[in-house]
Amino acid sequence: MLASLYSRMALGCVEANRFLASVERLATFGLRADGGVERQALSEQEIEARKFLIGRARALGCKVEIDPCGNLFFTRAGAKLVPPVVMGSHIDTQPMGGRLDGAYGVLAGFEVLAALDDASIETSRPVTVVAWTNEEGSRFKPGAMGSGAFVEPSLLEHYQHAVGVDGVIFGEALAEARSAIEGALDCAPGFAMHAYLEAHIEQGPVLEQSGHSLAVVTGIQGVRWYEVRCQGCAAHAGTTPMSMRRDAVVLANNYLKRIVDLSGELSAQDIRITCGRWNVTPNSINTIASEALFTLDVRSPNYAGLDRFEATLEAERNMVENQALITIDRILEKAPTAFDERLQTLLARACQAATGTDPIRIMSGAFHDALHLAGHCPTAMIFVPSIGGVSHNPAEATQPDDLVLGVQALAYAVTSLAI
Ligand SMILES: [Zn+2]
């Protein structure tokens, strides 16, 4: 009862103007002429943005810490020395990114800290905002390095050697960033957290189309990647009669068509398939192809969906003429993640307190830092809508009212967990 009173007080102290101004301010670091933002991981712009966050944290009286992978933690003390309630996201962007992807969750966290101050709420648990290093993976691969190395510190040794698209070594960029950032205390990765909450833009069209302002995220889809290789025999385009060819492109096309024809059925089972890459050998206009390779990206909220698709892939191959010339390799798998049920219930209550209506529940189509945190502590996410579903694009935008409602819900949930 008392918890919900304090939660409502914190929600009521979220200041729309202050929060929206902070979004504009952070966007000045790496602002592009087209209104988007380029603030790639550990770039000059991103380091300046980190300094801005540190200044803001100091003004709020927070402790500032940095772990070996460069993740920044800003902590408002609690009455007890117990694991903190943590919220956050990332401030790095794609090369042609927007103002909200990642930045929204970090700035929402800062606004919650300010609201707790304004409401004069002393929490028993510390409340921490985190900015994870290199979530996007556009400069250094893989993405979500910071949250990955926080949860599994041995990964950092491997990440140190990653070479950026600009030729810079991750370990060197990290060392440079760390020396540019003054006054942050070193902390060890992997420390205990009471809970992790991440607010994020949806980056897809589902929430906007539902007409709701907020969604509770139930988890993150699992992914499998396949390479499908179809063998043919290279021959002259003019001299080889149609009946005597072994054309790899025709074979690949026949097979892919069978799979695409099932896409309606698969979609009804929440399975999404994408054929994003084709490689044809020798890729010559007047030579019959000796090999055609295409990729499939398959996503589903659960293993059953991924397994069903894999069985379909095999079954359809057996229906194709010359099936022996087709080989299928699974080259990547990321397990589906389900977020903590109790936190989802709390977030639903928080969204209802902010908007007056029940939020929808959706599965995230994209990866987030919360994916790694889900293996570390109870974790959940809130989405706000993306206008037109647009993201990783300078035009990325969300209605300001929706942005603020998301911060209010976050304030409610964090207070309830920390009080
Ligand atoms: Zn993001």
Side-chain angles (χ1 to χ4, degrees):
M1 198 57 208
L2 205 57
S4 87
L5 177 70
Y6 282 117
S7 296
R8 283 184 188 280
M9 278 166 59
L11 182 158
C13 283
V14 167
E15 260 188 46
N17 290 340
R18 175 175 58 196
F19 171 69
L20 296 171
S22 75
V23 173
E24 290 310 304
R25 180 76 175 92
L26 191 62
T28 62
F29 300 97
L31 189 65
R32 294 165 46 92
D34 57 12
V37 175
E38 174 172 9
R39 192 170 56 230
Q40 297 207 65
L42 304 178
S43 63
E44 209 177 298
Q45 296 83 355
E46 201 239 22
I47 292 169
E48 289 306 310
R50 284 167 177 259
K51 290 181 187 168
F52 163 71
L53 292 182
I54 291 170
R56 192 145 181 238
R58 293 216 190 291
L60 287 165
C62 291
K63 180 167 77 173
V64 178
E65 293 171 294
I66 186 165
D67 78 359
C69 197
N71 299 310
L72 285 171
F73 302 92
F74 311 101
T75 300
R76 183 182 189 266
K80 296 182 187 158
L81 283 174
V82 290
V85 175
V86 182
M87 52 190 164
S89 195
H90 58 95
I91 59 163
D92 65 312
T93 72
Q94 292 282 323
M96 290 175 69
R99 297 164 175 231
L100 297 173
D101 177 2
Y104 174 62
V106 174
L107 294 171
F110 271 93
E111 182 56 36
V112 171
L113 297 183
L116 285 169
D117 279 0
D118 290 353
S120 304
I121 294 173
E122 188 191 8
T123 55
S124 49
R125 289 187 178 279
V127 177
T128 298
V129 176
V130 56
W132 301 110
T133 298
N134 186 31
E135 193 275 345
E136 293 294 349
S138 51
R139 185 180 180 201
F140 303 103
K141 290 208 173 355
M145 264 187 192
S147 49
F150 176 82
V151 171
E152 207 180 321
S154 63
L155 288 172
L156 181 57
E157 176 49 36
H158 168 69
Y159 291 161
Q160 295 279 10
H161 309 292
V163 181
V165 287
D166 50 5
V168 176
I169 312 283
F170 178 78
E172 288 170 12
L174 181 61
E176 209 169 290
R178 291 178 64 97
S179 68
I181 295 165
E182 284 172 358
L185 303 165
D186 286 324
C187 73
F191 58 79
M193 293 177 173
H194 180 63
Y196 175 72
L197 294 178
E198 183 164 348
H200 207 282
I201 55 169
E202 188 206 347
Q203 303 181 277
V206 177
L207 182 50
E208 184 185 49
Q209 283 191 3
S210 79
H212 287 74
S213 295
L214 300 176
V216 173
V217 185
T218 55
I220 296 181
Q221 291 187 119
V223 182
R224 282 180 187 164
W225 283 357
Y226 299 90
E227 266 180 5
V228 179
R229 216 173 280 274
C230 300
Q231 291 302 325
C233 183
H236 195 289
T239 61
T240 319
M242 294 304 282
S243 61
M244 296 173 72
R245 307 175 166 209
R246 271 191 17 228
D247 187 328
V249 167
V250 171
L251 177 62
N253 213 34
N254 288 343
Y255 182 35
L256 183 59
K257 185 175 180 308
R258 298 191 72 91
I259 299 163
V260 171
D261 284 349
L262 293 168
S263 59
E265 206 175 295
L266 294 168
S267 160
Q269 300 172 45
D270 263 347
I271 298 170
R272 294 175 182 166
I273 53 169
T274 304
C275 171
R277 184 191 300 156
W278 272 92
N279 284 336
V280 176
T281 309
N283 205 21
S284 164
I285 194 166
N286 55 359
T287 302
I288 296 161
S290 59
E291 186 184 91
L293 177 148
F294 64 87
T295 57
L296 289 170
D297 170 306
V298 183
R299 310 215 176 198
S300 164
N302 48 56
Y303 275 115
L306 294 174
D307 287 344
R308 227 172 9 246
F309 177 79
E310 198 160 296
T312 305
L313 201 57
E314 295 286 347
E316 290 302 317
R317 175 176 56 182
N318 295 338
M319 305 296 286
V320 179
E321 212 181 316
N322 293 325
Q323 52 189 255
L325 300 173
I326 302 175
T327 53
I328 304 168
D329 288 313
R330 193 207 289 172
I331 57 169
L332 174 134
E333 164 154 285
K334 292 206 178 186
T337 303
F339 288 142
D340 186 80
E341 289 284 347
R342 283 170 60 188
L343 283 185
Q344 286 187 50
T345 306
L346 171 64
L347 284 178
R349 204 161 70 235
C351 292
Q352 153 62 248
T355 63
T357 55
D358 287 329
I360 60 162
R361 297 197 185 224
I362 55 180
M363 174 64 72
S364 173
F367 292 131
H368 297 288
D369 291 305
L371 176 73
H372 288 135
L373 272 295
H376 181 66
C377 65
T379 292
M381 293 185 75
I382 311 180
F383 276 167
V384 293
S386 294
I387 296 174
V390 172
S391 184
H392 286 188
N393 185 316
E396 174 184 278
T398 297
Q399 297 294 350
D401 288 353
D402 290 339
L403 290 174
V404 173
L405 288 171
V407 183
Q408 289 177 332
L410 186 66
Y412 183 102
V414 165
T415 307
S416 159
L417 291 165
I419 201 71

